[in-house]
């Protein structure tokens, strides 16, 4: 089977009648939840916020389920961030979700004591991605307080976690916002 490329897809879509094209998009909307979420973020008033909250809930349930022990599967929480990137064009909402991931991780380690090094590496990596994203999209004013609070909340944790978050924070925010 030959792989489909975008050119072939566009040729196919151009060959469809208007009604057939509408039916095709409606079928994709019904069949694939990410397509539904994508259109919800684009066409529904407040839809982007609702989709963001759904992805935050995925992360929240991994670290703080309503019952039982938390699974705390980083693969699930990272996938939530990755999947959100595919359905939303909002740079601010993506920054919000990435920071929420780290906030949840910091809260988790404070409640359940020291976790392992791969856990902290994942949190540090996401924090750095979030901060770079924030700076790249000039969202510092909106998100600097959250970034600072994460560093503060991570004090008294192991594996040099607080130190690494502090270094990342100071690299991107110290000239504009001073000391913690």
């Amino acid at each position: 089977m030959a792989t489909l490329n975008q050119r072939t897809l566009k040729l196919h879509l151009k060959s469809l009648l208007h009604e057939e094209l509408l039916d095709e998009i409606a079928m994709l909307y019904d069949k694939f939840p990410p397509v539904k979420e994508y259109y919800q973020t684009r066409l529904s008033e407040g839809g982007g916020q609702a989709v963001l909250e759904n992805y935050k809930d995925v992360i929240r349930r991994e670290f703080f389920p309503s019952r039982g022990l938390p699974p705390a599967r980083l693969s699930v929480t990272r996938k939530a961030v990755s999947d959100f990137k595919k359905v939303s064009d909002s740079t601010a909402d993506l920054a919000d979700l990435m920071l929420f991931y780290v906030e949840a991780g910091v809260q988790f380690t404070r409640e359940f004591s020291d976790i392992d090094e791969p856990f902290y590496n994942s949190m540090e990596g996401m924090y750095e991605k979030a901060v770079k994203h924030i700076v790249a999209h000039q969202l510092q004013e909106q998100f600097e307080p959250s970034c600072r609070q994460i560093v503060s909340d991570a004090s008294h944790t192991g594996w040099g976690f607080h130190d690494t978050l502090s270094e990342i924070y100071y690299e991107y925010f110290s000239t504009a916002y001073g000391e913690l």
Side-chain angles (χ1 to χ4, degrees):
M1 182 170 121
T3 58
L4 179 70
N5 59 32
Q6 196 175 71
R7 182 180 177 279
T8 305
L9 175 62
K10 285 182 178 182
L11 286 172
H12 166 70
L13 295 174
K14 284 180 182 180
S15 73
L16 297 176
L17 298 173
H18 182 74
E19 284 300 316
E20 291 172 326
L21 185 56
L22 292 177
D23 289 343
E24 182 98 4
I25 294 170
M27 183 273 303
L28 292 172
Y29 178 88
D30 288 338
K31 190 170 185 171
F32 298 104
V35 173
K36 189 175 215 167
E37 291 172 337
Y38 171 78
Y39 281 111
Q40 185 174 350
T41 64
R42 300 210 31 158
L43 303 175
S44 173
E45 175 123 3
Q49 194 61 38
V51 171
L52 174 62
E53 288 304 317
N54 288 341
Y55 282 92
K56 283 183 174 183
D57 283 343
V58 169
I59 294 168
R60 191 177 293 112
R61 284 191 306 270
E62 279 300 307
F63 291 120
F64 306 102
S66 57
R67 292 188 292 172
L69 293 174
R73 296 170 295 189
L74 295 177
S75 61
V76 172
T77 56
R78 282 190 308 263
K79 185 176 184 317
V81 174
S82 176
D83 288 350
F84 183 78
K85 285 181 192 177
K86 296 173 188 172
V87 301
S88 176
D89 295 330
S90 172
T91 57
D93 286 351
L94 178 57
D96 188 12
L97 185 63
M98 289 191 289
L99 291 178
F100 182 80
Y101 172 95
V102 180
E103 290 165 349
V106 169
Q107 183 182 354
F108 180 79
T109 195
R110 289 173 59 114
E111 289 189 26
F112 292 95
S113 192
D114 282 340
I115 316 299
D116 59 10
E117 188 173 7
F119 175 88
Y120 292 117
N121 289 341
S122 181
M123 294 300 134
E124 293 162 1
M126 185 65 72
Y127 184 75
E128 186 165 25
K129 284 179 190 175
V131 169
K132 285 180 178 180
H133 176 82
I134 289 163
V135 170
H137 296 283
Q138 301 177 345
L139 301 168
Q140 295 95 315
E141 191 172 316
Q142 182 177 353
F143 289 105
E144 184 278 334
S146 296
C147 293
R148 183 174 4 102
Q149 189 63 50
I150 287 169
V151 173
S152 177
D153 290 347
S155 61
H156 309 296
T157 57
W159 299 90
F161 182 48
H162 176 260
D163 296 336
T164 302
L165 295 180
S166 294
E167 288 171 13
I168 295 166
Y169 176 86
Y170 285 119
E171 180 179 345
Y172 292 94
F173 293 113
S174 65
T175 57
Y177 295 99
E179 300 294 315
L180 285 175

